[in-house]
Amino acid sequence: MSDNILNKSGYILIDFDNWIKKPIDQINDEELEFLLTSHLLDFIENESYERIYIRLYGGWYKEGILTSNASELQMKLSRLKIFPYINQEHRIIIRGSVDIVSSSINLPSLYWTNTYHERNGVPRFRINNEKQTNICRDNADRCPIKILNNFTKHKNKKCPVPGCENYHRDVFFTREQKMVDTLIACDLMHCSKKQNIIKVQLVSDDIDHFPALIDGSSNSLPSGKYCVVIKNQETIHNYFNIFQEYDITTKNFEL
């Protein structure tokens, strides 16, 4: 189906882990529904839409398997009653969906199912020598800064406490997302040429998304369709002139 400017659609792209700081198991259904509905109402403003898509980005899959966090979030989403939303002002029913994202808008049948990684150990911590005191330097065997720095030199370091058999690799691990930022970038740029998509809102404090956001806005039809929602006022201040130059609306959103 070709784009139709009368078939007004909008996208809310939420960088979930960046935006929602609480663990999923600590968010009840009412809190999640209130949060997403608040974003929806903020998004609608005075526009009339036929469809709005809320997309939640995160490390939802590990080696092809849905993570426990993603599974719990999916169950919560299935119980929410956000759509259809009745817009009383414009007397229309807005249809839409709230989805955890595993594929781009442009290639919905291509699923990325290795977006969450866990690795044993943590990167070595670096000491800011300018902040070190002589007391720490003279008591390296008791200074926790020195001890932690030494313990994280490599993953095969053994705990220095006599009798402890733990190794660095056994007690530390890191969690990281893969390809999530790239999926957001792909979707931001894909929306730019779709004339029936009249508004795209990025919800994130992560400045890594800004190049794709600006690139999309610079090529968008119609112009001025992009908005970024940021909690950090300093980030808004630092990038306000760039956003203004490329016709990107900025919002500070706190519940």
Side-chain angles (χ1 to χ4, degrees):
M1 181 181 295
S2 61
D3 293 342
N4 185 341
I5 196 64
L6 298 178
N7 181 20
K8 294 182 177 181
S9 297
Y11 280 87
I12 304 174
L13 315 181
I14 300 179
D15 185 359
F16 195 84
D17 284 349
N18 175 272
W19 197 252
I20 313 296
K21 301 300 183 182
K22 291 173 63 174
I24 292 171
D25 60 3
Q26 294 181 20
I27 305 173
N28 60 41
D29 290 4
E30 292 76 16
E31 186 178 2
L32 183 61
E33 183 164 336
F34 174 75
L35 175 68
L36 295 176
T37 302
S38 297
H39 277 294
L40 177 64
L41 295 176
D42 175 73
F43 182 83
I44 292 172
E45 293 183 320
N46 296 320
E47 288 285 355
S48 59
Y49 297 88
E50 290 190 18
R51 298 194 72 87
I52 293 176
Y53 304 91
I54 301 176
R55 291 170 60 83
L56 309 179
Y57 299 80
W60 307 129
Y61 284 87
K62 180 182 178 182
E63 298 176 353
I65 305 296
L66 198 66
T67 66
S68 58
N69 276 345
S71 180
E72 184 165 355
L73 177 59
Q74 199 167 57
M75 286 191 292
K76 290 180 185 292
L77 293 176
S78 70
R79 297 192 290 264
L80 303 187
K81 301 186 183 302
I82 296 176
F83 294 107
Y85 176 79
I86 300 175
N87 189 329
Q88 300 286 359
E89 182 178 352
H90 294 279
R91 297 182 180 180
I92 61 172
I93 296 176
I94 301 174
R95 306 192 184 278
S97 62
V98 183
D99 301 297
I100 63 172
V101 175
S102 58
S103 60
S104 67
I105 299 170
N106 186 48
L107 296 172
S109 62
L110 177 58
Y111 295 98
W112 299 100
T113 57
N114 197 21
T115 53
Y116 177 86
H117 287 198
E118 286 185 359
R119 295 189 302 173
N120 290 336
V122 295
R124 181 183 176 185
F125 295 108
R126 308 292 179 180
I127 295 176
N128 182 351
N129 291 316
E130 293 181 1
K131 297 294 184 180
Q132 271 213 290
T133 65
N134 289 331
I135 296 175
C136 285
R137 293 189 183 95
D138 295 339
N139 294 274
D141 59 331
R142 290 187 295 149
C143 174
I145 298 171
K146 291 285 191 179
I147 293 171
L148 185 60
N149 177 255
N150 185 56
F151 191 43
T152 59
K153 281 184 178 179
H154 54 78
K155 295 178 183 180
N156 294 322
K157 288 288 289 186
K158 189 176 179 180
C159 177
V161 176
C164 182
E165 297 298 321
N166 278 328
Y167 288 83
H168 169 188
R169 63 178 181 270
D170 299 324
V171 295
F172 289 123
F173 71 94
T174 56
R175 294 172 174 170
E176 58 186 357
Q177 297 179 164
K178 294 291 187 182
M179 297 187 284
V180 174
D181 288 359
T182 306
L183 275 171
I184 293 175
C186 289
D187 288 349
L188 283 169
M189 291 187 285
H190 170 78
C191 291
S192 64
K193 295 296 184 181
K194 300 294 181 179
Q195 295 189 51
N196 66 315
I197 300 174
I198 61 172
K199 188 174 180 181
V200 181
Q201 188 173 85
L202 171 65
V203 182
S204 178
D205 270 339
D206 189 346
I207 65 174
D208 287 348
H209 303 312
F210 291 175
L213 176 68
I214 291 168
D215 188 274
S217 186
S218 68
N219 291 291
S220 69
L221 293 172
S223 62
K225 71 166 70 173
Y226 284 83
C227 173
V228 58
V229 178
I230 301 172
K231 291 178 183 175
N232 191 322
Q233 289 280 11
E234 185 177 352
T235 301
I236 294 177
H237 174 75
N238 291 341
Y239 292 92
F240 181 79
N241 289 338
I242 297 176
F243 291 145
Q244 192 172 47
E245 179 181 352
Y246 288 94
D247 209 9
I248 298 170
T249 304
T250 59
K251 288 186 176 182
N252 180 253
F253 192 93
E254 287 283 3
L255 293 177

